Amino acid sequence: MRKIYFSVGVAAFLGVHGLMLAKIEPVYTFFFVFVWWSYIILVDSFIFWKRGFSLFSQLGTKILMLVFCSYIFWEFFELINSRLANWDYVSSPFGEVVFNNFAAKISFKILAFGSVLPVILETHNLLEFVGLGKRLKFLGWEKTDKFLKWEWWGRPSYLWIIVGIAMLAAALFWTTYLFWLVWIALILILDPVVERSGGRSIFSELREGNVRTFYRLLLTGLVCGVIWEGWNYWAGLKWVYEVPFVGGWKIFEMPVLGYPGFAVFAVECFLFYQWFECRWCRKNRRP
C-alpha cells in the first residue's frame, strides 16, 4: 500500500510536468496548483513509505482544516500586499475566462493558497528525514549555538509581541523603505503565542542551544523559494514583483535579494502550524 501511494505521487508529479510542457489546459494556466499538490503528495508518500507515518497520516481529516488555515494565512499576506504592492498576478486568456466565474476563482485560491503550509511542512519533514543537521556537521552551524543561545529570546512575551506589531505597522506606513519588516514581524508575534500555548517554539529551542530546527527551516524556505519561483516562471498564471530598490536583478521572477525572505517565511509557516496543532490537533497529536 505504501509503495502504491508513492507510485501515485511519482506519476502525478511527472504527469503534471508533461501536461504543462505540452501547454494543455487547465494544467498549463494553473500549473502552480497542480505541481505543488503533486509535489506535496510525492513527498508525503515518500515519507509515509519510509517511516510508516507522514503529515497526512498524522492529521487525517484535519488536513482539510490545515488547507483552509493555510488559505487564510496567505490571504493575510495578500491583504498586506494590497498596501505594499510588492507583487501582482498576470494570467493567460484561459485564466481570465475562468476567473470570470466567482466560484471557480475562490476554489482556485483555496487550492493555491491552501498548499502553502503543506509545502513548507512536507519539505521540512523531508530535510529532517534525510538527516539534515546531522549529516552536514562540516558546515559548523552548531558552533553558533553559543551565539544564538540567548536567554531573553521571546521573554518577556508581551514585549516581543508589541515589537512585532510595531514593525508590522511601520512596514505598512513606510512601504517604500520598510516593506521587508513584514516578513520578520510575524515571527515576533507568533513565537511567544506558540510557546504560551505549549507548542514548539523556535525561541525556546534557541534558548536551549538547539539550532538545528532553526537552520533547517531557513534552508527549507530557500529550497521552496527556488522551486516555487522556478515553477511559477513557466506557468500561464503567474505572479510578478515590483520591489523597491532591488527589483532589477532577478532569478526567474524574484529579485535576488528577495530569496532570503523565503527563509524567514518558512519559520513563520512552522510557527503558524505549531499554533494550529496546539489549537486543533493537541488531543490526537502523535509523540
Side-chain angles (χ1 to χ4, degrees), residues 214-231:
F214 175 67
Y215 284 125
R216 192 185 299 120
L217 283 169
L218 295 181
L219 185 57
T220 295
L222 290 174
V223 169
C224 288
V226 171
I227 52 180
W228 237 324
E229 295 300 328
W231 284 330

Side-chain angles (χ1 to χ4, degrees), residues 1-285:
M1 185 63 184
R2 296 180 189 177
K3 290 185 177 180
I4 293 176
Y5 180 30
F6 178 62
S7 298
V8 170
V10 172
F13 186 73
L14 295 177
V16 164
H17 281 83
L19 293 172
M20 183 277 294
L21 292 173
K23 295 188 177 181
I24 295 176
E25 300 291 5
V27 175
Y28 172 66
T29 294
F30 303 119
F31 179 58
F32 176 82
V33 172
F34 285 96
V35 75
W36 271 114
W37 278 107
S38 67
Y39 169 84
I40 290 168
I41 293 172
L42 175 64
V43 176
D44 189 83
S45 63
F46 175 77
I47 294 175
F48 185 70
W49 175 30
K50 293 298 183 179
R51 280 185 168 175
F53 65 91
S54 64
L55 180 68
F56 281 14
S57 68
Q58 287 178 302
L59 290 180
T61 57
K62 288 187 175 66
I63 190 66
L64 298 176
M65 193 176 297
L66 176 64
V67 170
F68 183 73
C69 285
S70 177
Y71 162 69
I72 298 299
F73 181 67
W74 186 254
E75 279 285 19
F76 168 78
F77 289 101
E78 291 290 330
L79 179 63
I80 295 295
N81 188 58
S82 66
R83 169 65 177 167
L84 301 182
N86 286 162
W87 66 86
D88 200 1
Y89 298 92
V90 294
S91 180
S92 66
F94 179 85
E96 293 176 358
V97 171
V98 171
F99 283 162
N100 285 332
N101 184 300
F102 178 76
K105 183 176 181 179
I106 293 298
S107 298
F108 167 78
K109 291 177 70 175
I110 291 175
L111 287 172
F113 300 165
S115 71
V116 173
L117 291 182
V119 161
I120 294 292
L121 295 171
E122 293 284 14
T123 303
H124 180 260
N125 289 345
L126 179 62
L127 295 181
E128 186 177 29
F129 171 76
V130 300
L132 185 69
K134 296 180 180 179
R135 298 183 180 182
L136 297 180
K137 290 183 178 180
F138 65 88
L139 292 176
W141 47 29
E142 289 192 339
K143 294 180 181 179
T144 63
D145 61 352
K146 294 181 180 179
F147 173 74
L148 293 175
K149 191 177 180 181
W150 184 46
E151 63 177 316
W152 297 108
W153 283 118
R155 295 177 176 174
S157 59
Y158 70 87
L159 182 59
W160 287 79
I161 293 173
I162 291 173
V163 171
I165 294 173
M167 290 174 68
L168 184 59
L172 294 174
F173 189 78
W174 292 289
T175 57
T176 302
Y177 299 99
L178 299 179
F179 63 91
W180 53 274
L181 287 178
V182 167
W183 306 103
I184 301 174
L186 211 59
I187 295 176
L188 306 187
I189 297 171
L190 279 174
D191 196 279
V193 172
V194 168
E195 184 172 10
R196 294 181 70 174
S197 300
R200 189 176 170 188
S201 159
I202 297 299
F203 288 165
S204 64
E205 291 197 1
L206 292 179
R207 288 198 304 267
E208 296 169 359
N210 180 4
V211 299
R212 288 181 180 177
T213 302
F214 175 67
Y215 284 125
R216 192 185 299 120
L217 283 169
L218 295 181
L219 185 57
T220 295
L222 290 174
V223 169
C224 288
V226 171
I227 52 180
W228 237 324
E229 295 300 328
W231 284 330
N232 172 64
Y233 185 78
W234 298 102
L237 169 64
K238 66 173 69 178
W239 57 86
V240 293
Y241 296 93
E242 292 292 336
V243 182
F245 308 117
V246 298
W249 295 35
K250 294 183 178 182
I251 298 178
F252 303 118
E253 296 292 346
M254 168 62 83
V256 174
L257 293 180
Y259 280 93
F262 285 112
V264 178
F265 179 64
V267 178
E268 294 175 325
C269 290
F270 178 82
L271 290 172
F272 187 83
Y273 174 70
Q274 292 303 311
W275 173 84
F276 166 81
E277 193 178 33
C278 289
R279 181 65 180 84
W280 302 105
C281 306
R282 177 177 291 180
K283 292 182 180 179
N284 300 315
R285 187 166 50 186

